[in-house]
Amino acid sequence: AQTVTQSQPEMSVQEAETVTLSCTYDTSESNYYLFWYKQPPSRQMILVIRQEAYKQQNATENRFSVNFQKAAKSFSLKISDSQLGDTAMYFCAFMRSGAQKLVFGQGTRLTINP
Amino acid sequence: KAGVTQTPRYLIKTRGQQVTLSCSPISGHRSVSWYQQTPGQGLQFLFEYFSETQRNKGNFPGRFSGRQFSNSRSEMNVSTLELGDSALYLCASSVEALRDTQYFGPGTRLTVL
């Protein structure tokens, strides 16, 4: 069974700073996908970024980028130039190839302070 | 394109009752997955439907069931409600392939008294 671990329950940074959220996972699969979702206080789960395990290049989406270390089974999210609207719970999620089933970490509550 | 919609948004039931939640996927999406979110257990996968068939199932008791209609809309049902069923129930849709990204709806907050 796959597990996803987010070791930082809470983080807080000042607006415009850069912040990195950690995620590690455990799997014996070779084909899989990794995601970061954010869940603001409104509860809507929003996709932030997706990474295919077979791709060596780290995914980026505007201010969001990941550091994917396959051998270390690590998948961290970097948010550059953080904004107040980035305040949310951030979930790291794993999906093995061949199954539409996400396995989530426990989440990191990120607060961006003005 | 309209996003995933879930109805109702809030629901209050008492122990022993049953409840049905509804999810309409993004237009063109054929796979619908359901998740339960609680403070204690976090986000847990319930089941996934594709083409009116359950394709994946999580580790939940048989009181939790679902179905999917020919227009890809999905419902989940919980019978004989327990206090521990109080949770946010999230629905997610994806196009169809088993590698597709899931997009979530706003959730239904169920409170069992």
Side-chain angles (χ1 to χ4, degrees), chain B residues 46-58:
Chain B
L46 280 154
F47 30 63
E48 182 237 349
Y49 285 86
F50 173 76
S51 205
E52 301 179 64
T53 301
Q54 188 180 87
R55 194 161 61 172
N56 270 296
K57 187 178 188 308

Side-chain angles (χ1 to χ4, degrees), chain A residues 8 20-25 36 49 58-59 65-69 73-78 92:
Chain A
Q8 307 147 312
T20 299
L21 280 56
S22 301
C23 172
T24 58
Y25 57 95
W36 280 97
I49 203 163
N58 290 324
S65 61
V66 298
N67 184 3
F68 174 48
Q69 302 288 326
K73 295 180 181 172
S74 169
F75 183 61
S76 61
L77 174 70
K78 185 171 91 170
C92 177

Side-chain angles (χ1 to χ4, degrees), chain A residues 95 98-100, chain B residues 31 48 50 55 94-101:
Chain A
M95 183 174 80
Q100 273 286 321
Chain B
S31 168
E48 182 237 349
F50 173 76
R55 194 161 61 172
S94 61
V95 179
E96 68 176 70
L98 294 171
R99 62 181 183 276
D100 290 329
T101 298

Side-chain angles (χ1 to χ4, degrees), chain A residues 37 39 44 50 100 102, chain B residues 35 37 99-102 104:
Chain A
Y37 285 90
Q39 189 178 39
Q44 179 92 39
R50 163 186 164 124
Q100 273 286 321
L102 289 165
Chain B
Y35 295 83
Q37 185 176 21
R99 62 181 183 276
D100 290 329
T101 298
Q102 294 183 28
F104 284 81

Side-chain angles (χ1 to χ4, degrees), chain B residues 5-94:
Chain B
T5 58
Q6 292 187 245
T7 56
R9 295 292 306 277
Y10 301 89
L11 209 45
I12 300 175
K13 292 285 187 179
T14 56
R15 275 181 301 174
Q17 286 187 311
Q18 76 164 23
V19 67
T20 299
L21 313 181
S22 180
C23 172
S24 292
I26 293 170
S27 177
H29 285 198
R30 297 173 61 195
S31 168
V32 174
S33 300
W34 289 89
Y35 295 83
Q36 181 195 65
Q37 185 176 21
T38 60
Q41 298 298 315
L43 282 147
Q44 293 185 286
F45 172 77
L46 280 154
F47 30 63
E48 182 237 349
Y49 285 86
F50 173 76
S51 205
E52 301 179 64
T53 301
Q54 188 180 87
R55 194 161 61 172
N56 270 296
K57 187 178 188 308
N59 253 359
F60 278 81
R63 299 184 299 107
F64 292 82
S65 63
R67 60 176 174 168
Q68 187 180 34
F69 301 94
S70 58
N71 62 357
S72 296
R73 189 177 71 85
S74 176
E75 289 181 347
M76 70 162 277
N77 184 275
V78 188
S79 62
T80 320
L81 283 166
E82 300 177 0
L83 295 178
D85 297 333
S86 293
L88 180 66
Y89 289 89
L90 293 167
C91 161
S93 76
S94 61

